[in-house]
Amino acid sequence: MTEQKLEAATLKLKQRQEKSKEKIPPLYKILLLNDDYTPMEFVIEVLILFFSMNQEQATHVMLKIHTEGVGVCGVYTSDIASTKVNQVIDFAIRNKHPLKCVMEKN
């Protein structure tokens, strides 16, 4: 009888632990889309300013965007991704460039 109580208590404890685990929020990729008008230097500047890339990383991503049409800038939670997308779009508009930045579920 004591073993059964111990097993039941162990099972309840495991169930509580599983329920109490925090859910990981969904992640979103931020993508920059290629266009024929935005200068490559501006794309590099965006990657350095908003995505904390160094010159080499930013150049690599910029070339990927240029050759493949799209490049991943980073992966973030929904709120952060949305904020970064809006910041990039606003920065592009202020600088009179048609650069497109979007987010999609990872």
Side-chain angles (χ1 to χ4, degrees):
M1 195 78 154
T2 312
E3 272 186 48
Q4 290 176 342
K5 287 183 180 179
L6 183 58
E7 287 177 11
T10 302
L11 181 61
K12 284 183 181 180
L13 180 61
K14 285 182 181 179
Q15 289 172 341
R16 279 190 209 146
Q17 287 174 339
E18 287 177 11
K19 286 182 182 178
S20 70
K21 287 183 182 174
E22 291 184 33
K23 290 184 179 180
I24 298 173
L27 297 176
Y28 292 81
K29 293 186 283 191
I30 297 180
L31 307 171
L32 285 181
L33 309 178
N34 189 44
D35 64 70
D36 293 334
Y37 304 101
T38 304
M40 293 179 183
E41 294 78 16
F42 183 78
V43 175
I44 291 172
E45 183 180 358
V46 165
L47 293 167
I48 291 170
L49 283 174
F50 297 101
F51 301 100
S52 303
M53 293 185 188
N54 62 36
Q55 185 74 31
E56 186 178 337
Q57 292 168 322
T59 301
H60 178 75
V61 173
M62 178 276 298
L63 289 172
K64 184 172 178 74
I65 295 164
H66 182 69
T67 58
E68 297 178 20
V70 65
V72 177
C73 305
V75 179
Y76 305 91
T77 59
S78 177
D79 290 346
I80 294 171
S82 179
T83 299
K84 285 190 177 282
V85 166
N86 289 330
Q87 288 174 332
V88 169
I89 291 170
D90 290 344
F91 187 67
I93 290 170
R94 282 196 317 270
N95 287 278
K96 301 187 183 339
H97 295 298
L99 182 65
K100 299 292 181 213
C101 184
V102 297
M103 60 189 257
E104 73 177 30
K105 203 163 190 171
N106 193 14

